[in-house]
Amino acid sequence: DGGITQSPKYLFRKEGQNVTLSCEQNLNHDAMYWYRQDPGQGLRLIYYSQIVNDFQKGDIAEGYSVSREKKESFPLTVTSAQKNPTAFYLCASTRWERRGNTEAFFGQGTRLTVV
Amino acid sequence: AQSVSQHNHHVILSEAASLELGCNYSYGGTVNLFWYVQYPGQHLQLLLKYFSGDPLVKGIKGFEAEFIKSKFSFNLRKPSVQWSDTAEYFCAVGGYNKLIFGAGTRLAVHP
């Protein structure tokens, strides 16, 4: 079955450490996204990528980094520079058509806790 | 800047009441519009979407939304809510190159 796989489901990090969240899709979608979900703030866009080897900052990119070396993969690194990293992180992908992106398919999310 | 505004952060209704959740967006171009729902402890799932054509869109579970281009709005409606509609609802706008979400509306339906 096609879908998006995020791992791990739960992640604990010590302050000062970088951690990388995995996101893989086998939907053959062009675009991939990382969002952060916090209570009362909805989904805020961290980074997005429309094609391989290209990505753009979203609204809250500071303290995060990404790569897009393969169409299927879009890992997110939460660096020690991110001041408040404890959150629920969602990866998504969309197909791209002439009039823009189609509906998003989401992974199950990764809950990151800084201890 | 592109943005999505959901005006109601918390809505409390009794069963059988009618529902309307507001969504306004700011985007300088052709857009695709979406409503997603997140039930407690579950993943986001698509309720309905608008790409083009009839501005009144019907989705799953009796929900519908109307796209009013002149008002940059895409409000979600349901004539009669059920307790099982208790969830968080997100409006989203897909433009040429990215997909952005509103802050969400928490709906609580009391029996």
Side-chain angles (χ1 to χ4, degrees):
Chain A
D1 286 336
I4 299 181
T5 302
Q6 285 186 243
S7 62
K9 190 172 180 180
Y10 299 97
L11 185 58
F12 295 88
R13 188 196 92 174
K14 291 183 179 179
E15 283 195 27
Q17 286 182 337
N18 294 354
V19 289
T20 297
L21 283 57
S22 170
C23 179
E24 304 276 332
Q25 55 101 356
N26 60 3
L27 299 165
N28 199 32
H29 284 174
D30 297 296
M32 296 186 74
Y33 307 80
W34 274 105
Y35 296 92
R36 171 178 169 145
Q37 186 175 17
D38 296 284
Q41 299 193 59
L43 277 69
R44 293 184 291 166
L45 184 61
I46 305 173
Y47 268 97
Y48 62 102
S49 168
Q50 294 290 318
I51 57 173
V52 174
N53 292 323
D54 188 43
F55 47 84
Q56 287 78 41
K57 293 181 178 179
D59 299 320
I60 55 165
E62 185 175 350
Y64 300 98
S65 66
V66 293
S67 63
R68 187 87 186 273
E69 297 176 0
K70 299 186 299 181
K71 188 175 185 178
E72 302 79 19
S73 178
F74 192 42
L76 173 74
T77 296
V78 184
T79 76
S80 56
Q82 168 50 236
K83 295 189 182 349
N84 185 21
T86 295
F88 188 63
Y89 292 87
L90 279 167
C91 179
S93 71
T94 66
R95 200 175 65 247
W96 189 88
E97 298 176 348
R98 275 186 64 189
R99 61 167 291 131
N101 290 303
T102 61
E103 69 266 28
F105 289 75
F106 287 90
Q108 66 178 7
T110 294
R111 187 166 295 281
L112 173 63
T113 303
V114 174
V115 297
Chain B
Q2 300 156 356
S3 65
V4 180
S5 297
Q6 292 183 241
H7 311 295
N8 315 101
H9 295 295
H10 295 277
V11 174
I12 301 173
L13 295 173
S14 298
E15 277 193 317
S18 64
L19 170 72
E20 181 160 1
L21 301 182
C23 174
N24 287 89
Y25 66 92
S26 171
Y27 197 93
T30 302
V31 294
N32 298 333
L33 298 162
F34 309 90
W35 275 97
Y36 286 84
V37 61
Q38 188 172 34
Y39 297 103
Q42 296 189 25
H43 305 157
L44 280 156
Q45 55 181 280
L46 183 68
L47 265 182
L48 47 77
K49 61 188 177 186
Y50 172 80
F51 288 172
S52 64
D54 188 343
L56 185 61
V57 179
K58 294 197 183 299
I60 61 172
K61 305 186 181 189
F63 286 91
E64 64 179 32
E66 184 175 13
F67 170 50
I68 302 180
K69 190 175 181 179
S70 61
K71 295 185 178 180
F72 298 92
S73 71
F74 190 55
N75 291 354
L76 181 71
R77 300 194 291 244
K78 186 171 184 178
S80 176
V81 294
Q82 301 171 322
W83 176 80
S84 57
D85 293 323
T86 294
E88 190 161 16
Y89 294 81
F90 296 93
C91 181
V93 175
Y96 181 79
N97 60 356
K98 64 181 180 181
L99 182 64
I100 55 175
F101 285 78
T105 298
R106 282 192 186 274
L107 171 65
V109 179
H110 294 302

